[in-house]
Amino acid sequence: MIVALTGVTMADQINLPTPSKEGGKPLMTALSERKTSREFSDREIPLQMLSDMLWAAYGINRPDGRLTSPTAINRQEIDLYLVMKNGAYFYNPKELKLAKISEKGIRTTSGFGKFAEKAPLTIIFVVNKGRQQISDPTASLTLGAVDCGFIGQNLYLYCASEGLNTVFFATLNKEALSTALKLEKGNEVFFGQSIGFPPEK
Ligand SMILES: Cc1cc2nc3c(=O)[nH]c(=O)nc-3n(C[C@H](O)[C@H](O)[C@H](O)COP(=O)(O)O)c2cc1C
């Protein structure tokens, strides 16, 4: 079943529309407007906007499968999960699909700050250690965190460009999220980033 995202998180799989790679504010304007905001309206993010945003964050931008965001040794070890009001999805950048992980609303049980409990979308950054293949723990942690940071900044710039509010955060309950997102052993939750429209005045 393919459905619009608004108010829906019941489809097993959502085919994302082809991301639009045009438009947006000039880079220097987006950089001028990049900021953290912790207030969100309840309004859902339209599916086309979601697809564009995910592509900007961590989408394939070259024929050889490389991404808009750099990763150490091109291991592409970051997985992005989407936590929304009524469930959680896994983003598959190759197939442009969202795969349903859970129908449970987990915004209030994941140790997020109050802001993220209200945000219509929180992206969870997971480091897939199996794909990363870096045995030294310090290097694994450092390179994983850096790779998350690049994606986070891509999201910040997309949000600045599109008039969305966003906050990148480290405060979350990794254990609760690992269970809720059904992560396999070796996958570790690193960060979250909440995104939504500014509150209506
Ligand atoms: C690695 C990292 C971790 C962060 N963790 C949190 C957090 O747990 N909670 C929060 O409210 N903001 C968090 N932030 C957002 C920062 O507080 C914010 O970026 C900072 O205040 C600067 O504001 P600006 O982004 O508008 O420049 C984090 C930012 C980074 C880069």
Side-chain angles (χ1 to χ4, degrees):
M1 184 175 51
I2 311 292
V3 282
L5 198 66
T6 305
V8 173
T9 34
M10 306 309 285
D12 283 340
Q13 190 168 277
I14 294 173
N15 289 332
L16 292 167
T18 305
S20 164
K21 299 167 191 168
E22 291 177 354
K25 292 181 182 166
L27 176 64
M28 298 310 252
T29 309
L31 282 165
S32 300
E33 294 177 11
R34 188 219 63 87
K35 65 179 193 303
T36 293
S37 325
R38 299 180 180 79
E39 294 185 334
F40 303 101
S41 119
D42 291 334
R43 192 174 145 202
E44 299 282 346
I45 292 167
L47 199 55
Q48 181 68 55
M49 185 177 243
L50 188 64
S51 181
D52 299 352
M53 177 195 300
L54 291 168
W55 180 81
Y58 196 58
I60 294 171
N61 71 352
R62 280 157 290 170
D64 64 2
R66 290 181 192 233
L67 305 169
T68 54
S69 189
T71 59
I73 337 175
N74 190 32
R75 290 278 156 82
Q76 305 191 359
E77 80 283 16
I78 312 299
D79 286 329
L80 300 182
Y81 289 79
L82 280 60
V83 172
M84 294 176 285
K85 192 176 174 187
N86 299 318
Y89 283 90
F90 170 78
Y91 172 53
N92 182 331
K94 284 200 181 80
E95 294 180 18
L96 288 178
K97 284 182 177 153
L98 300 180
K100 185 173 71 182
I101 304 294
S102 164
E103 281 175 14
K104 284 195 194 138
I106 58 171
R107 294 189 300 181
T108 54
T109 52
S110 299
F112 296 164
K114 281 281 166 220
F115 51 85
E117 291 183 11
K118 187 164 183 217
L121 170 66
T122 295
I123 297 179
I124 303 297
F125 298 69
V126 171
V127 173
N128 183 313
K129 299 272 173 71
R131 254 192 349 264
Q132 189 189 41
Q133 289 178 33
I134 294 174
S135 51
D136 176 66
T138 308
S140 167
L141 190 68
T142 309
L143 298 174
V146 165
D147 291 348
C148 290
F150 283 114
I151 300 169
Q153 178 73 346
N154 281 357
L155 285 168
Y156 265 110
L157 291 175
Y158 178 84
C159 289
S161 176
E162 296 300 320
L164 294 165
N165 282 359
T166 187
V167 50
F168 184 93
F169 60 90
T171 307
L172 30 70
N173 185 333
K174 292 186 175 198
E175 222 175 284
L177 271 167
S178 299
T179 306
L181 298 176
K182 304 177 182 156
L183 298 186
E184 284 174 17
K185 202 164 173 277
N187 291 359
E188 189 181 333
V189 172
F190 268 48
F191 299 106
Q193 186 159 357
S194 294
I195 296 165
F197 289 96
E200 278 103 33
K201 287 177 186 141

PDB file of all heavy atoms in Angstrom, residues 58 66-67 69-78 128 131-134 139-148 150-151:
ATOM      1  N   TYR A  58      21.620  12.449   2.673  1.00  0.00           N
ATOM      2  CA  TYR A  58      22.384  11.198   2.559  1.00  0.00           C
ATOM      3  C   TYR A  58      21.910  10.413   1.344  1.00  0.00           C
ATOM      4  O   TYR A  58      21.741   9.205   1.398  1.00  0.00           O
ATOM      5  CB  TYR A  58      22.129  10.402   3.849  1.00  0.00           C
ATOM      6  CG  TYR A  58      23.081   9.271   4.152  1.00  0.00           C
ATOM      7  CD1 TYR A  58      24.449   9.484   4.272  1.00  0.00           C
ATOM      8  CD2 TYR A  58      22.600   7.978   4.377  1.00  0.00           C
ATOM      9  CE1 TYR A  58      25.311   8.446   4.593  1.00  0.00           C
ATOM     10  CE2 TYR A  58      23.453   6.934   4.707  1.00  0.00           C
ATOM     11  CZ  TYR A  58      24.809   7.184   4.807  1.00  0.00           C
ATOM     12  OH  TYR A  58      25.671   6.155   5.132  1.00  0.00           O
ATOM     13  N   ARG A  66      28.012   6.899  -4.737  1.00  0.00           N
ATOM     14  CA  ARG A  66      28.465   7.732  -3.616  1.00  0.00           C
ATOM     15  C   ARG A  66      27.387   8.752  -3.259  1.00  0.00           C
ATOM     16  O   ARG A  66      26.432   8.950  -4.003  1.00  0.00           O
ATOM     17  CB  ARG A  66      29.803   8.385  -3.947  1.00  0.00           C
ATOM     18  CG  ARG A  66      30.885   7.319  -3.969  1.00  0.00           C
ATOM     19  CD  ARG A  66      32.259   7.847  -4.271  1.00  0.00           C
ATOM     20  NE  ARG A  66      33.131   6.718  -4.544  1.00  0.00           N
ATOM     21  CZ  ARG A  66      34.302   6.491  -3.937  1.00  0.00           C
ATOM     22  NH1 ARG A  66      34.759   7.329  -3.043  1.00  0.00           N
ATOM     23  NH2 ARG A  66      35.016   5.440  -4.249  1.00  0.00           N
ATOM     24  N   LEU A  67      27.573   9.366  -2.122  1.00  0.00           N
ATOM     25  CA  LEU A  67      26.470  10.082  -1.464  1.00  0.00           C
ATOM     26  C   LEU A  67      26.701  11.591  -1.374  1.00  0.00           C
ATOM     27  O   LEU A  67      27.831  12.063  -1.534  1.00  0.00           O
ATOM     28  CB  LEU A  67      26.296   9.516  -0.048  1.00  0.00           C
ATOM     29  CG  LEU A  67      26.094   7.997   0.042  1.00  0.00           C
ATOM     30  CD1 LEU A  67      26.210   7.516   1.484  1.00  0.00           C
ATOM     31  CD2 LEU A  67      24.742   7.603  -0.542  1.00  0.00           C
ATOM     32  N   SER A  69      26.788  13.078   1.277  1.00  0.00           N
ATOM     33  CA  SER A  69      27.551  13.242   2.501  1.00  0.00           C
ATOM     34  C   SER A  69      28.771  12.323   2.453  1.00  0.00           C
ATOM     35  O   SER A  69      28.643  11.163   2.068  1.00  0.00           O
ATOM     36  CB  SER A  69      26.644  12.851   3.666  1.00  0.00           C
ATOM     37  OG  SER A  69      27.231  13.182   4.869  1.00  0.00           O
ATOM     38  N   PRO A  70      29.941  12.824   2.829  1.00  0.00           N
ATOM     39  CA  PRO A  70      31.110  11.942   2.796  1.00  0.00           C
ATOM     40  C   PRO A  70      31.087  10.944   3.947  1.00  0.00           C
ATOM     41  O   PRO A  70      30.538  11.238   5.014  1.00  0.00           O
ATOM     42  CB  PRO A  70      32.290  12.923   2.956  1.00  0.00           C
ATOM     43  CG  PRO A  70      31.723  14.092   3.686  1.00  0.00           C
ATOM     44  CD  PRO A  70      30.275  14.190   3.301  1.00  0.00           C
ATOM     45  N   THR A  71      31.689   9.764   3.725  1.00  0.00           N
ATOM     46  CA  THR A  71      31.876   8.822   4.847  1.00  0.00           C
ATOM     47  C   THR A  71      33.303   8.295   4.789  1.00  0.00           C
ATOM     48  O   THR A  71      33.872   8.150   3.705  1.00  0.00           O
ATOM     49  CB  THR A  71      30.896   7.624   4.795  1.00  0.00           C
ATOM     50  OG1 THR A  71      31.083   6.904   3.574  1.00  0.00           O
ATOM     51  CG2 THR A  71      29.456   8.048   4.924  1.00  0.00           C
ATOM     52  N   ALA A  72      33.851   8.003   5.954  1.00  0.00           N
ATOM     53  CA  ALA A  72      35.232   7.532   6.038  1.00  0.00           C
ATOM     54  C   ALA A  72      35.392   6.244   5.230  1.00  0.00           C
ATOM     55  O   ALA A  72      34.610   5.304   5.387  1.00  0.00           O
ATOM     56  CB  ALA A  72      35.602   7.284   7.503  1.00  0.00           C
ATOM     57  N   ILE A  73      36.386   6.241   4.376  1.00  0.00           N
ATOM     58  CA  ILE A  73      36.707   5.110   3.474  1.00  0.00           C
ATOM     59  C   ILE A  73      35.488   4.728   2.626  1.00  0.00           C
ATOM     60  O   ILE A  73      35.364   3.593   2.184  1.00  0.00           O
ATOM     61  CB  ILE A  73      37.256   3.875   4.241  1.00  0.00           C
ATOM     62  CG1 ILE A  73      37.867   4.261   5.589  1.00  0.00           C
ATOM     63  CG2 ILE A  73      38.293   3.120   3.366  1.00  0.00           C
ATOM     64  CD1 ILE A  73      38.316   3.099   6.466  1.00  0.00           C
ATOM     65  N   ASN A  74      34.588   5.665   2.430  1.00  0.00           N
ATOM     66  CA  ASN A  74      33.333   5.419   1.692  1.00  0.00           C
ATOM     67  C   ASN A  74      32.629   4.156   2.172  1.00  0.00           C
ATOM     68  O   ASN A  74      32.048   3.410   1.388  1.00  0.00           O
ATOM     69  CB  ASN A  74      33.587   5.345   0.182  1.00  0.00           C
ATOM     70  CG  ASN A  74      32.285   5.346  -0.620  1.00  0.00           C
ATOM     71  OD1 ASN A  74      31.285   5.955  -0.211  1.00  0.00           O
ATOM     72  ND2 ASN A  74      32.248   4.636  -1.731  1.00  0.00           N
ATOM     73  N   ARG A  75      32.625   3.947   3.498  1.00  0.00           N
ATOM     74  CA  ARG A  75      31.983   2.738   4.021  1.00  0.00           C
ATOM     75  C   ARG A  75      30.455   2.920   4.084  1.00  0.00           C
ATOM     76  O   ARG A  75      29.714   1.961   4.255  1.00  0.00           O
ATOM     77  CB  ARG A  75      32.543   2.394   5.415  1.00  0.00           C
ATOM     78  CG  ARG A  75      33.971   1.899   5.371  1.00  0.00           C
ATOM     79  CD  ARG A  75      34.054   0.412   5.009  1.00  0.00           C
ATOM     80  NE  ARG A  75      35.330   0.026   4.429  1.00  0.00           N
ATOM     81  CZ  ARG A  75      36.441  -0.248   5.112  1.00  0.00           C
ATOM     82  NH1 ARG A  75      36.452  -0.167   6.431  1.00  0.00           N
ATOM     83  NH2 ARG A  75      37.539  -0.602   4.492  1.00  0.00           N
ATOM     84  N   GLN A  76      30.000   4.149   4.021  1.00  0.00           N
ATOM     85  CA  GLN A  76      28.546   4.433   4.027  1.00  0.00           C
ATOM     86  C   GLN A  76      27.874   3.695   5.176  1.00  0.00           C
ATOM     87  O   GLN A  76      26.866   3.014   5.014  1.00  0.00           O
ATOM     88  CB  GLN A  76      27.927   4.059   2.680  1.00  0.00           C
ATOM     89  CG  GLN A  76      28.620   4.757   1.521  1.00  0.00           C
ATOM     90  CD  GLN A  76      27.897   4.640   0.191  1.00  0.00           C
ATOM     91  OE1 GLN A  76      26.851   3.998   0.098  1.00  0.00           O
ATOM     92  NE2 GLN A  76      28.433   5.266  -0.842  1.00  0.00           N
ATOM     93  N   GLU A  77      28.473   3.856   6.355  1.00  0.00           N
ATOM     94  CA  GLU A  77      28.074   3.041   7.506  1.00  0.00           C
ATOM     95  C   GLU A  77      26.919   3.630   8.323  1.00  0.00           C
ATOM     96  O   GLU A  77      26.487   3.027   9.298  1.00  0.00           O
ATOM     97  CB  GLU A  77      29.293   2.806   8.414  1.00  0.00           C
ATOM     98  CG  GLU A  77      29.652   3.973   9.356  1.00  0.00           C
ATOM     99  CD  GLU A  77      30.381   5.139   8.679  1.00  0.00           C
ATOM    100  OE1 GLU A  77      30.377   5.225   7.445  1.00  0.00           O
ATOM    101  OE2 GLU A  77      30.920   5.966   9.420  1.00  0.00           O
ATOM    102  N   ILE A  78      26.441   4.793   7.926  1.00  0.00           N
ATOM    103  CA  ILE A  78      25.354   5.395   8.711  1.00  0.00           C
ATOM    104  C   ILE A  78      23.997   4.936   8.154  1.00  0.00           C
ATOM    105  O   ILE A  78      23.771   4.973   6.942  1.00  0.00           O
ATOM    106  CB  ILE A  78      25.420   6.944   8.673  1.00  0.00           C
ATOM    107  CG1 ILE A  78      26.846   7.451   8.972  1.00  0.00           C
ATOM    108  CG2 ILE A  78      24.401   7.547   9.641  1.00  0.00           C
ATOM    109  CD1 ILE A  78      27.411   7.084  10.313  1.00  0.00           C
ATOM    110  N   ASN A 128      26.353   1.565  11.639  1.00  0.00           N
ATOM    111  CA  ASN A 128      26.334   0.130  11.365  1.00  0.00           C
ATOM    112  C   ASN A 128      27.793  -0.352  11.396  1.00  0.00           C
ATOM    113  O   ASN A 128      28.543  -0.149  10.446  1.00  0.00           O
ATOM    114  CB  ASN A 128      25.686  -0.098   9.995  1.00  0.00           C
ATOM    115  CG  ASN A 128      25.567  -1.563   9.653  1.00  0.00           C
ATOM    116  OD1 ASN A 128      26.518  -2.316   9.801  1.00  0.00           O
ATOM    117  ND2 ASN A 128      24.401  -1.952   9.168  1.00  0.00           N
ATOM    118  N   ARG A 131      29.190  -2.674   8.649  1.00  0.00           N
ATOM    119  CA  ARG A 131      29.583  -2.022   7.393  1.00  0.00           C
ATOM    120  C   ARG A 131      30.810  -1.131   7.580  1.00  0.00           C
ATOM    121  O   ARG A 131      31.611  -0.959   6.689  1.00  0.00           O
ATOM    122  CB  ARG A 131      28.415  -1.187   6.870  1.00  0.00           C
ATOM    123  CG  ARG A 131      27.774  -1.831   5.695  1.00  0.00           C
ATOM    124  CD  ARG A 131      26.793  -1.050   4.892  1.00  0.00           C
ATOM    125  NE  ARG A 131      26.296   0.190   5.340  1.00  0.00           N
ATOM    126  CZ  ARG A 131      25.146   0.370   5.982  1.00  0.00           C
ATOM    127  NH1 ARG A 131      24.373  -0.648   6.280  1.00  0.00           N
ATOM    128  NH2 ARG A 131      24.758   1.565   6.336  1.00  0.00           N
ATOM    129  N   GLN A 132      30.920  -0.578   8.766  1.00  0.00           N
ATOM    130  CA  GLN A 132      32.039   0.338   9.019  1.00  0.00           C
ATOM    131  C   GLN A 132      33.377  -0.402   8.992  1.00  0.00           C
ATOM    132  O   GLN A 132      34.359   0.117   8.467  1.00  0.00           O
ATOM    133  CB  GLN A 132      31.843   1.038  10.374  1.00  0.00           C
ATOM    134  CG  GLN A 132      32.833   2.164  10.615  1.00  0.00           C
ATOM    135  CD  GLN A 132      32.773   2.689  12.027  1.00  0.00           C
ATOM    136  OE1 GLN A 132      32.654   1.914  12.989  1.00  0.00           O
ATOM    137  NE2 GLN A 132      32.864   3.994  12.178  1.00  0.00           N
ATOM    138  N   GLN A 133      33.399  -1.587   9.587  1.00  0.00           N
ATOM    139  CA  GLN A 133      34.614  -2.433   9.572  1.00  0.00           C
ATOM    140  C   GLN A 133      35.866  -1.703  10.050  1.00  0.00           C
ATOM    141  O   GLN A 133      36.899  -1.731   9.376  1.00  0.00           O
ATOM    142  CB  GLN A 133      34.860  -2.970   8.164  1.00  0.00           C
ATOM    143  CG  GLN A 133      33.851  -4.014   7.738  1.00  0.00           C
ATOM    144  CD  GLN A 133      34.110  -4.468   6.315  1.00  0.00           C
ATOM    145  OE1 GLN A 133      35.235  -4.522   5.853  1.00  0.00           O
ATOM    146  NE2 GLN A 133      33.045  -4.806   5.618  1.00  0.00           N
ATOM    147  N   ILE A 134      35.752  -1.039  11.173  1.00  0.00           N
ATOM    148  CA  ILE A 134      36.935  -0.408  11.774  1.00  0.00           C
ATOM    149  C   ILE A 134      37.054  -0.994  13.172  1.00  0.00           C
ATOM    150  O   ILE A 134      36.199  -0.739  14.025  1.00  0.00           O
ATOM    151  CB  ILE A 134      36.786   1.130  11.806  1.00  0.00           C
ATOM    152  CG1 ILE A 134      36.774   1.657  10.368  1.00  0.00           C
ATOM    153  CG2 ILE A 134      37.918   1.770  12.600  1.00  0.00           C
ATOM    154  CD1 ILE A 134      36.502   3.125  10.222  1.00  0.00           C
ATOM    155  N   ALA A 139      38.851   4.927  16.821  1.00  0.00           N
ATOM    156  CA  ALA A 139      38.677   5.338  15.418  1.00  0.00           C
ATOM    157  C   ALA A 139      37.230   5.105  14.983  1.00  0.00           C
ATOM    158  O   ALA A 139      36.626   5.939  14.287  1.00  0.00           O
ATOM    159  CB  ALA A 139      39.638   4.559  14.526  1.00  0.00           C
ATOM    160  N   SER A 140      36.649   4.000  15.407  1.00  0.00           N
ATOM    161  CA  SER A 140      35.263   3.687  15.041  1.00  0.00           C
ATOM    162  C   SER A 140      34.310   4.779  15.543  1.00  0.00           C
ATOM    163  O   SER A 140      33.456   5.289  14.810  1.00  0.00           O
ATOM    164  CB  SER A 140      34.887   2.327  15.628  1.00  0.00           C
ATOM    165  OG  SER A 140      33.503   2.126  15.562  1.00  0.00           O
ATOM    166  N   LEU A 141      34.523   5.164  16.800  1.00  0.00           N
ATOM    167  CA  LEU A 141      33.668   6.196  17.414  1.00  0.00           C
ATOM    168  C   LEU A 141      33.861   7.547  16.726  1.00  0.00           C
ATOM    169  O   LEU A 141      32.893   8.229  16.366  1.00  0.00           O
ATOM    170  CB  LEU A 141      34.042   6.295  18.899  1.00  0.00           C
ATOM    171  CG  LEU A 141      33.162   7.120  19.787  1.00  0.00           C
ATOM    172  CD1 LEU A 141      31.797   6.457  19.930  1.00  0.00           C
ATOM    173  CD2 LEU A 141      33.799   7.258  21.183  1.00  0.00           C
ATOM    174  N   THR A 142      35.120   7.913  16.541  1.00  0.00           N
ATOM    175  CA  THR A 142      35.420   9.227  15.954  1.00  0.00           C
ATOM    176  C   THR A 142      34.878   9.323  14.530  1.00  0.00           C
ATOM    177  O   THR A 142      34.176  10.283  14.180  1.00  0.00           O
ATOM    178  CB  THR A 142      36.948   9.459  15.907  1.00  0.00           C
ATOM    179  OG1 THR A 142      37.475   9.198  17.194  1.00  0.00           O
ATOM    180  CG2 THR A 142      37.289  10.873  15.493  1.00  0.00           C
ATOM    181  N   LEU A 143      35.204   8.328  13.724  1.00  0.00           N
ATOM    182  CA  LEU A 143      34.807   8.408  12.317  1.00  0.00           C
ATOM    183  C   LEU A 143      33.286   8.298  12.166  1.00  0.00           C
ATOM    184  O   LEU A 143      32.678   8.987  11.341  1.00  0.00           O
ATOM    185  CB  LEU A 143      35.525   7.328  11.497  1.00  0.00           C
ATOM    186  CG  LEU A 143      37.062   7.477  11.486  1.00  0.00           C
ATOM    187  CD1 LEU A 143      37.716   6.300  10.790  1.00  0.00           C
ATOM    188  CD2 LEU A 143      37.492   8.786  10.839  1.00  0.00           C
ATOM    189  N   GLY A 144      32.665   7.475  12.990  1.00  0.00           N
ATOM    190  CA  GLY A 144      31.197   7.367  12.961  1.00  0.00           C
ATOM    191  C   GLY A 144      30.546   8.701  13.315  1.00  0.00           C
ATOM    192  O   GLY A 144      29.611   9.155  12.653  1.00  0.00           O
ATOM    193  N   ALA A 145      31.072   9.340  14.355  1.00  0.00           N
ATOM    194  CA  ALA A 145      30.488  10.616  14.796  1.00  0.00           C
ATOM    195  C   ALA A 145      30.694  11.703  13.747  1.00  0.00           C
ATOM    196  O   ALA A 145      29.792  12.501  13.474  1.00  0.00           O
ATOM    197  CB  ALA A 145      31.099  11.033  16.131  1.00  0.00           C
ATOM    198  N   VAL A 146      31.876  11.727  13.151  1.00  0.00           N
ATOM    199  CA  VAL A 146      32.142  12.724  12.106  1.00  0.00           C
ATOM    200  C   VAL A 146      31.173  12.528  10.939  1.00  0.00           C
ATOM    201  O   VAL A 146      30.583  13.483  10.420  1.00  0.00           O
ATOM    202  CB  VAL A 146      33.611  12.618  11.623  1.00  0.00           C
ATOM    203  CG1 VAL A 146      33.808  13.361  10.316  1.00  0.00           C
ATOM    204  CG2 VAL A 146      34.541  13.176  12.683  1.00  0.00           C
ATOM    205  N   ASP A 147      30.988  11.280  10.539  1.00  0.00           N
ATOM    206  CA  ASP A 147      30.109  11.016   9.394  1.00  0.00           C
ATOM    207  C   ASP A 147      28.667  11.423   9.707  1.00  0.00           C
ATOM    208  O   ASP A 147      27.955  11.934   8.834  1.00  0.00           O
ATOM    209  CB  ASP A 147      30.216   9.533   8.982  1.00  0.00           C
ATOM    210  CG  ASP A 147      31.589   9.218   8.382  1.00  0.00           C
ATOM    211  OD1 ASP A 147      32.341  10.173   8.090  1.00  0.00           O
ATOM    212  OD2 ASP A 147      31.920   8.030   8.227  1.00  0.00           O
ATOM    213  N   CYS A 148      28.253  11.214  10.951  1.00  0.00           N
ATOM    214  CA  CYS A 148      26.915  11.701  11.351  1.00  0.00           C
ATOM    215  C   CYS A 148      26.853  13.222  11.249  1.00  0.00           C
ATOM    216  O   CYS A 148      25.840  13.795  10.822  1.00  0.00           O
ATOM    217  CB  CYS A 148      26.601  11.301  12.794  1.00  0.00           C
ATOM    218  SG  CYS A 148      26.319   9.544  13.042  1.00  0.00           S
ATOM    219  N   PHE A 150      28.387  15.286   9.273  1.00  0.00           N
ATOM    220  CA  PHE A 150      28.205  15.788   7.897  1.00  0.00           C
ATOM    221  C   PHE A 150      26.726  15.706   7.484  1.00  0.00           C
ATOM    222  O   PHE A 150      26.182  16.631   6.888  1.00  0.00           O
ATOM    223  CB  PHE A 150      29.044  14.969   6.909  1.00  0.00           C
ATOM    224  CG  PHE A 150      30.509  15.305   6.915  1.00  0.00           C
ATOM    225  CD1 PHE A 150      31.452  14.381   7.338  1.00  0.00           C
ATOM    226  CD2 PHE A 150      30.950  16.536   6.473  1.00  0.00           C
ATOM    227  CE1 PHE A 150      32.813  14.684   7.323  1.00  0.00           C
ATOM    228  CE2 PHE A 150      32.310  16.852   6.459  1.00  0.00           C
ATOM    229  CZ  PHE A 150      33.243  15.922   6.891  1.00  0.00           C
ATOM    230  N   ILE A 151      26.121  14.586   7.814  1.00  0.00           N
ATOM    231  CA  ILE A 151      24.699  14.411   7.447  1.00  0.00           C
ATOM    232  C   ILE A 151      23.854  15.449   8.190  1.00  0.00           C
ATOM    233  O   ILE A 151      22.948  16.066   7.628  1.00  0.00           O
ATOM    234  CB  ILE A 151      24.222  12.983   7.782  1.00  0.00           C
ATOM    235  CG1 ILE A 151      25.046  11.950   7.010  1.00  0.00           C
ATOM    236  CG2 ILE A 151      22.738  12.822   7.481  1.00  0.00           C
ATOM    237  CD1 ILE A 151      24.823  10.509   7.475  1.00  0.00           C
TER     238      ILE A 151
END
